[in-house]
């Protein structure tokens, strides 16, 4: 279809404040990687205003002689986080339960696997990092490990990282997720 209409709506979290938005239009191929048909960056000033942004944008990198357009609508949904519950002297209890859908970092006869472990680190305080034990040969580890981080100051966010354990060499990063403080420093936690 050369004139697609998706009419789909998404909420995009603005981690660390509002950023410019990059839109890419791709050609889906069942048997190979998707091909770029065009892309455009919408500057935050265009949608960070009353009423947001609704209009057509001319795509870049479309190929010589093509004037491809993309119509989008962007509204900022202002978020008021619940009040934090931490106070001076707070600690952080973190339970790393499981991961699913990990990529294989180790290859052997019969297929690939990983030996995953998970870390949790408070933003800017690497010396308080905690980690699970590694579990051998799985892409869906279940750790169910609870850790206590002895010092937590209001406003600090955390990052979880999953690595493949390799004895004798550095661990391979399998994935990471940033959890802003307003997601867990509230009544009931995360």
């Amino acid at each position: 279809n050369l004139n697609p209409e998706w009419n789909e709506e998404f909420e995009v979290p603005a981690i660390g404040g509002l950023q410019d938005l990059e839109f890419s239009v791709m050609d889906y191929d069942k048997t190979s990687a998707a091909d770029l048909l065009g892309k455009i960056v919408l500057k935050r000033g265009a949608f960070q205003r009353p009423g947001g942004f609704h209009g057509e944008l001319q795509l870049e990198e479309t190929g010589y002689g093509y004037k491809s357009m993309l119509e989008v609508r962007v509204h900022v949904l202002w978020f008021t986080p619940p009040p934090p519950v931490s106070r001076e002297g707070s600690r952080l209890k973190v339970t790393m339960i499981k991961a699913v859908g990990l990529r294989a970092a180790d290859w052997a006869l019969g297929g690939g696997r990983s030996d995953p472990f998970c870390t949790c680190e408070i933003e800017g305080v690497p010396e308080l990092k905690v980690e699970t034990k590694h579990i051998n040969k799985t892409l869906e580890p279940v750790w169910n490990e609870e850790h206590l981080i002895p010092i937590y100051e209001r406003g600090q966010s955390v990052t979880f990282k999953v690595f493949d354990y390799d004895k004798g060499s550095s661990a391979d990063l399998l994935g990471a997720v940033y959890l802003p403080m307003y997601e867990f420093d509230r009544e009931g936690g995360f």
Side-chain angles (χ1 to χ4, degrees), residues 67-79:
K67 183 180 175 188
S68 302
M69 306 297 287
L70 174 67
E71 183 179 351
V72 298
R73 183 176 335 176
V74 178
H75 292 277
V76 176
L77 304 174
W78 296 107
F79 171 71

Side-chain angles (χ1 to χ4, degrees), residues 66-138:
Y66 289 94
K67 183 180 175 188
S68 302
M69 306 297 287
L70 174 67
E71 183 179 351
V72 298
R73 183 176 335 176
V74 178
H75 292 277
V76 176
L77 304 174
W78 296 107
F79 171 71
T80 304
V85 295
S86 63
R87 56 182 181 260
E88 191 173 327
S90 289
R91 298 176 297 167
L92 201 59
K93 181 168 68 171
V94 178
T95 305
M96 292 171 271
I97 300 170
K98 68 179 181 176
V100 295
L102 297 176
R103 71 176 174 85
D106 301 329
W107 291 94
L109 202 57
R113 294 283 184 253
S114 288
D115 305 312
F117 68 95
C118 183
T119 67
C120 177
E121 184 176 321
I122 293 178
E123 181 178 44
V125 193
E127 61 273 13
L128 295 178
K129 178 172 69 175
V130 294
E131 69 180 55
T132 67
K133 296 175 184 163
H134 75 274
I135 297 178
N136 290 323
K137 298 178 176 56
T138 183

